[in-house]
Amino acid sequence: MRIILLGAPGAGKGTQAQFLMNKYGIPQISTGDMLRSAIKEGSELGLAAKQVMDAGQLVSDDIIIGLVKERIAKDDCSKGFLLDGFPRTIPQANAMKDNGVVVDHVIEFDVPDDVIVERMSGRRVHPASGRVYHIKYNPPKVTGKDDETGEELVIRADDIEATVRKRLAIYHEQTELLVGYYRKAAEAGETQYHYVDGTKPVDEISASLVKLLG
């Protein structure tokens, strides 16, 4: 059960990642978490990454791939793992392949940009409790106020429409190319590729994933 989730920010990957982790007992591997724990542990790769980050630069693909390899060798990955947000580019996908990191399933969550913008820019958050509302799908009883405390709701920086559109543009420019890459890999029998309509209800998507993954 070695799975890669592909899709734009806001396409619903995080929700389904939680479901798959619980269903199959596999950990989600996020490169951000991996970097933080490697730096904390003071491993060789962690120290190398820290030097680069302290210098204000981006951590190289080589270091990230090294961390992924270290991470998936741990006991909790014996049944598999879930990669979300990595690989982001074709060179990263090639590096994974060159390093013998095998992937069984690639799942693409497809959601039109306008739907993502509506989903994300409509979110409102109560900072103290973390309660999340949506002006259309889950509105508070009083516009702009938290149901329980009556305090003001805020829009997170990541949910501002201009920011969402910028992140989507980066996704289309860099990561969307992986759709073609992994479809070809599936045709060559190297992995299985699954397309999911991310506009469907959450439970429906979860049920279809169980059918796809068996």
Side-chain angles (χ1 to χ4, degrees):
M1 248 341 143
R2 293 165 295 206
I3 302 169
I4 287 176
L5 302 183
L6 281 184
K13 301 190 303 293
T15 304
Q16 298 303 332
Q18 288 298 322
F19 167 75
L20 294 170
M21 285 161 68
N22 295 331
K23 171 85 182 157
Y24 297 106
I26 56 176
Q28 180 180 4
I29 297 175
S30 121
T31 47
D33 292 347
M34 243 174 11
L35 274 170
R36 283 187 286 277
S37 67
I39 289 167
K40 204 169 151 192
E41 286 167 17
S43 72
E44 197 177 324
L45 283 166
L47 292 171
K50 188 176 186 311
Q51 273 185 324
V52 174
M53 285 159 79
D54 286 349
Q57 294 169 320
L58 284 176
V59 178
S60 72
D61 289 352
D62 290 347
I63 292 177
I64 299 278
I65 299 291
L67 287 169
V68 170
K69 278 182 79 175
E70 262 182 19
R71 180 67 189 84
I72 64 178
K74 292 190 174 172
D75 291 348
D76 64 342
C77 292
S78 60
K79 290 185 191 170
F81 52 83
L82 196 62
L83 278 171
D84 174 11
F86 187 85
R88 282 179 195 270
T89 62
I90 291 198
Q92 288 177 346
N94 280 328
M96 272 179 61
K97 194 174 161 185
D98 295 344
N99 277 274
V101 179
V102 178
V103 176
D104 303 312
H105 300 275
V106 178
I107 304 168
E108 175 199 351
F109 291 81
D110 185 34
V111 180
D113 283 7
D114 289 345
V115 175
I116 288 176
V117 170
E118 184 192 40
R119 268 184 192 178
M120 294 177 81
S121 62
R123 280 184 198 159
R124 299 292 182 272
V125 180
H126 178 239
S129 66
R131 278 187 285 277
V132 180
Y133 300 87
H134 192 284
I135 53 175
K136 182 175 176 184
Y137 304 112
N138 177 31
K141 291 175 186 139
V142 179
T143 305
K145 307 281 185 192
D146 177 50
D147 285 353
E148 291 185 29
T149 63
E151 291 168 355
E152 289 287 330
L153 299 175
V154 302
I155 304 176
R156 282 188 297 223
D158 271 1
D159 293 337
I160 293 167
E161 181 171 338
T163 309
V164 174
R165 290 199 181 275
K166 198 171 164 187
R167 288 172 70 199
L168 286 169
I170 293 167
Y171 170 76
H172 293 308
E173 193 184 307
Q174 292 186 350
T175 312
E176 203 171 31
L177 299 169
L178 290 172
V179 168
Y181 177 95
Y182 280 116
R183 281 191 168 158
K184 274 193 189 137
E187 282 164 19
E190 292 165 14
T191 188
Q192 291 186 51
Y193 194 92
H194 311 289
Y195 170 90
V196 172
D197 176 354
T199 62
K200 291 190 170 161
V202 169
D203 295 350
E204 217 176 288
I205 295 174
S206 300
S208 66
L209 288 177
V210 172
K211 274 189 192 152
L212 290 171
L213 298 171

